[in-house]
Amino acid sequence: MARTLAQKVWQDHVVRSAEGEPDLLYIDLHLIHEVTSPQAFDGLRDAGRPVRRPDLTLATEDHNVPTIDIDKPIADPVSRAQVEALRKNCAEFGVPIYSLGNVEQGIVHVVGPQLGLTQPGMTVVCGDSHTSTHGAFGALAFGIGTSEVEHVLATQTLPLKPFKTMAITVNGSLPAGVSAKDLILAVIAKIGTGGGQGYVLEYRGDAIRALSMEGRMTICNMSIEAGARAGMIAPDETTFAYLEGKERAPKGSEWDAAVAYWKTLQTDADAVFDREVVIEASELSPFVTWGTNPGQGVPLSANVPSPADAVDEVDRIAIENALTYMDLVAGTPMRDVKVDTVFIGSCTNGRIEDLRVAAEVMKGRTVADGMRVLVVPGSVRVRLQAHAEGLDTIFSAAGAEWREAGCSMCLAMNPDMLAPGERSASTSNRNFEGRQGPGGRTHLVSPAVAAATAIVGRLASPADLEK
Amino acid sequence: MEAFTVHTGTAAPLRRSNVDTDQIIPAVYLKRITRHGFEDGLFSAWRKDPDFVLNQPAYQGVTILVAGPDFGTGSSREHAVWALQDFGFKVVISSRFADIFRGNSGKGGLLTAQVDQEVVERLWSLLESDPATPVTVDLAAREIHAGDLVASFDVDDYLRWRLMEGLDDVGITLKSADDITTFEERRPAFLPTTV
Ligand code: SF4
């Protein structure tokens, strides 16, 4: 029977299947971090169980870690306790960990791919919803809860019911200045934050094929914001070229065997998806959010929507509430929205390619008066690469703060946060109320728009700088 | 997980409906990193009131909670189950439970026994007139015995099986340990490891 990519990966991981029961799926890679793992380890201890495969498990510290003074103890007691618990648990259960100060430390979804640990056809889980990022390699990757973390630690498997599949085909090519982030924000605005519920999304089409691995990770990362369980992109030469030579990628004859297998990981021509969505890339432009969920977005050239544009009563109330929280007036051009903080980073846009784009825009320019700009690399490796390319000097010269690696202002569990009423342009993935600090207001944008906004002081694209 | 067949203990009448997860354990307790020690957070707002049932000397040491309909609505936090267990509860009796809470209880090994509201009312009167009344919850027979009262309760078959076997989710999966090992032997050699 013709199968989709997601179905192929699923079927290659079924340990046990029985009528009327969930399939027992094998997990190839389990990533853990300090926030969602402590109780899972406690559960193992209670039951006297070991971690079945420490060699398929990897821990890193990211959500809570400070991005300055990382050689000093973590000031916040809750954050410190979580990080210390992770270190202790990893030592006790033999799980490898990249702690603060280690060259491999960073955001869990940046670290896996850059080590070459995330490979096509694998199953990857983590107690974090943005695990969908790893789907960019053609892996089936999804977030799990703490009791599932315990389950995977103990058994290296998960009982799961099959997901539905949705094809998102992006035809044509993206216009100049339009990035993967703009594309995924437009997709979410189109299908809605619940549009992907219960589905694994497969992104296909020429515009997807043309994306780098970094761009593909940005796309898959935000699948969860459309409500989807996971996002996937079939592996191709771009994927193989990214992986070749990476530390944990196969070598020699194993590389050949792996590539031969990876090439089979394509949706069959006559496979049927449960739902299909088609998007024309040429119609897209830089995209920004105006509201309090990632689906509330418009082109940068558009105006703040009005409750009068609502499709129904529920939508009308949602728009009204969002405008109130965001302190925006319907009809205001998005380009007139003044911003006081810019955050460039996160597992969505904290990779070297993102920093290059931002640096290119900020080079030789100075950030607007009173503007606070945080540039936070997604991992120590990204940070070192940026140093090697002199990007840090560009950011600092422009007046931006160049920080250590971590999640930082993406979720503000560390000291990097918005004050009440502050407004950010952020390359992260969630603009929920209070996400970047209580009372803070977030506009989700691409790295290029974030950098241009930092210079102009209002939401802007690089094209606005040349005028 | 401890196997559950029959439990006998004293019970507390909680004359409230719609006890949500924020009332069972407020969000501030979710910052903790342990799996145990949530007993201080259980019903923390109500426990500031000396008259609250669990503060009364007559109801110390109870292991069964008898609550009104729609117990456990709200968020999916598993901490609600842990807090009840850490406090010493083995069984919650109610006329209706929120689905997610019921699912989480099963995972944690806390029995949620669903009865008619009329049974809840009778238990409340009984426990208020004589707090020392022993209550027996017989999972094998699906019956509650207290004083003269004998009432059957509703519990999902699968949940009943796993509670009686003392199996948590991991325990159930580990019954397939041989299948997992066989699968591992077949995994391609090119797959990466983290060490
Ligand atoms: S960067 Fe943000 S979204 Fe990504 S893992 Fe960290 S907190 Fe989660």
Side-chain angles (χ1 to χ4, degrees):
Chain A
M1 208 185 86
R3 297 178 300 165
T4 62
L5 165 61
Q7 287 162 343
K8 288 183 183 183
V9 178
W10 182 283
Q11 284 169 6
D12 283 350
H13 289 84
V14 175
V15 169
R16 203 184 89 90
S17 106
E19 191 60 34
E21 284 177 35
D23 286 350
L24 191 62
L25 225 59
Y26 198 81
I27 303 303
D28 291 320
L29 177 63
H30 185 195
L31 300 166
I32 60 178
H33 61 87
E34 75 274 17
V35 179
T36 51
S37 64
Q39 276 113 358
F41 281 109
D42 260 5
L44 291 186
R45 249 188 304 268
D46 273 2
R49 292 174 176 139
V51 172
R52 184 180 176 96
R53 296 294 301 264
D55 61 329
L56 303 183
T57 312
L58 179 66
T60 166
E61 301 166 3
D62 55 7
H63 282 63
N64 278 286
V65 298
T67 56
I68 43 171
D69 298 333
I70 61 166
D71 47 336
K72 305 210 179 89
I74 300 176
D76 178 65
V78 175
S79 296
R80 191 172 60 237
Q82 290 190 345
V83 169
E84 280 169 1
L86 181 68
R87 291 177 188 172
K88 190 176 111 319
N89 287 327
C90 286
E92 180 181 338
F93 288 89
V95 171
I97 178 170
Y98 295 135
S99 287
L100 208 54
N102 188 297
V103 68
E104 301 298 353
Q105 180 263 337
I107 305 172
V108 67
H109 311 308
V110 176
V111 168
Q114 82 187 3
L115 279 169
L117 273 175
T118 305
Q119 297 172 16
M122 287 172 60
T123 45
V124 180
V125 297
C126 174
D128 183 280
S129 53
H130 294 95
T131 309
S132 58
T133 311
H134 307 262
F137 292 81
L140 181 60
F142 47 90
I144 56 178
T146 294
S147 53
E148 291 172 304
V149 170
E150 180 182 338
H151 197 112
V152 178
L153 287 173
T155 71
Q156 204 58 34
T157 64
L158 268 184
L160 287 169
K161 298 209 178 79
F163 310 125
K164 291 181 286 181
T165 57
M166 185 190 307
I168 296 192
T169 306
V170 190
N171 292 321
S173 54
L174 290 172
V178 180
S179 70
K181 182 65 163 287
D182 302 307
L183 169 56
I184 189 63
L185 285 173
V187 168
I188 299 166
K190 181 173 171 122
I191 70 174
T193 50
Q197 205 94 52
Y199 291 96
V200 172
L201 311 182
E202 183 183 333
Y203 302 95
R204 358 175 42 203
D206 291 346
I208 300 294
R209 289 283 140 240
L211 290 173
S212 65
M213 286 316 294
E214 282 88 347
R216 293 178 189 188
M217 283 189 258
T218 302
I219 301 271
C220 289
N221 173 278
M222 289 195 69
S223 302
I224 185 77
E225 307 310 334
R229 198 65 207 269
M232 298 179 90
I233 294 174
D236 59 12
E237 293 304 326
T238 305
T239 322
F240 308 151
Y242 179 95
L243 279 168
E244 194 162 15
K246 287 266 186 304
E247 189 179 320
R248 299 300 163 100
K251 307 271 155 33
S253 61
E254 286 191 348
W255 170 261
D256 300 333
V259 173
Y261 171 62
W262 295 345
K263 285 186 170 162
T264 68
L265 297 172
Q266 306 287 329
T267 290
D268 294 330
D270 45 350
V272 183
F273 289 91
D274 298 302
R275 190 179 160 196
E276 297 208 42
V277 171
V278 178
I279 287 180
E280 294 305 325
S282 59
E283 293 168 7
L284 297 174
S285 62
F287 218 83
V288 297
T289 63
W290 54 268
T292 52
N293 72 56
Q296 291 178 319
V298 289
L300 176 63
S301 55
N303 298 340
V304 175
S306 157
D309 309 334
V311 291
D312 56 31
E313 183 59 14
V314 174
D315 189 32
R316 193 186 62 75
I317 294 171
I319 296 176
E320 259 176 25
N321 289 343
L323 292 183
T324 307
Y325 183 84
M326 293 296 289
D327 191 28
L328 290 173
V329 177
T332 311
M334 291 307 298
R335 279 196 165 87
D336 287 354
V337 175
K338 238 180 136 277
V339 165
D340 44 57
T341 304
V342 166
F343 171 63
I344 299 173
S346 87
C347 60
T348 312
N349 283 125
R351 297 186 178 77
I352 189 65
E353 185 178 90
D354 304 308
L355 300 190
R356 284 182 192 136
V357 168
E360 177 71 29
V361 174
M362 290 169 78
K363 190 172 189 169
R365 297 189 164 106
T366 323
V367 306
D369 276 351
M371 175 74 73
R372 169 170 64 140
V373 183
L374 291 190
V375 186
V376 183
S379 70
V380 177
R381 289 270 179 216
V382 170
R383 186 177 150 88
L384 294 176
Q385 180 65 28
H387 277 265
E389 297 179 20
L391 306 185
D392 56 324
T393 326
I394 297 176
F395 293 126
S396 302
E401 298 174 46
W402 173 244
R403 295 295 188 88
E404 305 280 348
C407 294
S408 178
M409 203 187 273
C410 174
L411 89 168
M413 268 183 99
N414 76 349
D416 308 338
M417 57 171 76
L418 295 179
E422 280 188 333
R423 183 184 298 280
S424 78
S426 175
T427 66
S428 56
N429 45 46
R430 284 187 173 156
N431 52 344
F432 300 158
E433 292 185 14
R435 168 81 174 182
Q436 295 190 297
R441 304 178 174 122
T442 302
H443 296 273
L444 300 178
V445 299
S446 71
V449 168
T453 300
I455 305 297
V456 175
R458 283 171 279 109
L459 291 175
S461 72
D464 299 329
L465 296 172
E466 278 141 33
K467 283 176 197 154
Chain B
M1 214 161 95
E2 232 175 284
F4 188 121
T5 43
V6 181
H7 172 76
T8 301
T10 51
L14 182 65
R15 277 198 183 262
R16 288 179 191 259
S17 61
N18 271 296
V19 176
D20 67 45
T21 50
D22 269 297
Q23 290 165 329
I24 299 173
I25 185 156
V28 300
Y29 290 91
L30 311 192
K31 286 190 175 176
R32 296 210 180 146
I33 52 169
T34 51
R35 177 71 196 258
H36 296 292
F38 289 95
E39 61 276 8
D40 58 335
L42 183 72
F43 302 129
S44 70
W46 297 338
R47 273 165 68 201
K48 295 192 184 96
D49 170 7
D51 292 336
F52 178 59
V53 61
L54 295 181
N55 288 336
Q56 296 175 25
Y59 297 104
Q60 298 310 301
V62 290
T63 54
I64 299 167
L65 186 69
V66 186
D70 296 314
F71 189 89
T73 53
S75 86
S76 64
R77 64 189 68 155
E78 291 173 62
H79 304 69
V81 174
W82 303 342
L84 286 159
Q85 289 181 311
D86 289 346
F87 192 84
F89 287 112
K90 305 262 186 255
V91 184
V92 181
I93 299 171
S94 165
S95 52
R96 197 159 55 225
F97 292 96
D99 280 348
I100 298 181
F101 176 80
R102 218 173 184 197
N104 287 343
S105 298
K107 283 186 182 178
L110 175 72
L111 174 59
T112 47
Q114 187 166 312
V115 297
D116 292 336
Q117 180 59 22
E118 180 242 341
V119 175
V120 170
E121 307 275 354
R122 285 177 60 196
L123 283 167
W124 281 345
S125 329
L126 189 66
L127 297 167
E128 278 159 359
S129 58
D130 181 6
T133 314
V135 178
T136 296
V137 179
D138 183 339
L139 182 56
R142 302 174 197 245
E143 270 176 7
I144 296 168
H145 298 252
D148 297 340
L149 180 140
V150 178
S152 62
F153 66 84
D154 184 58
V155 58
D156 167 90
D157 284 337
Y158 181 69
L159 184 64
R160 176 169 170 268
W161 169 76
R162 50 188 281 176
L163 287 174
M164 291 186 65
E165 296 276 320
L167 285 173
D168 58 6
D169 280 336
V170 173
I172 292 169
T173 295
L174 287 177
K175 289 193 162 215
S176 306
D178 291 347
D179 294 334
I180 301 174
T181 306
T182 310
F183 184 93
E184 283 175 331
E185 285 159 2
R186 288 200 328 256
R187 292 177 79 233
F190 59 72
L191 284 166
T193 62
T194 57
V195 289

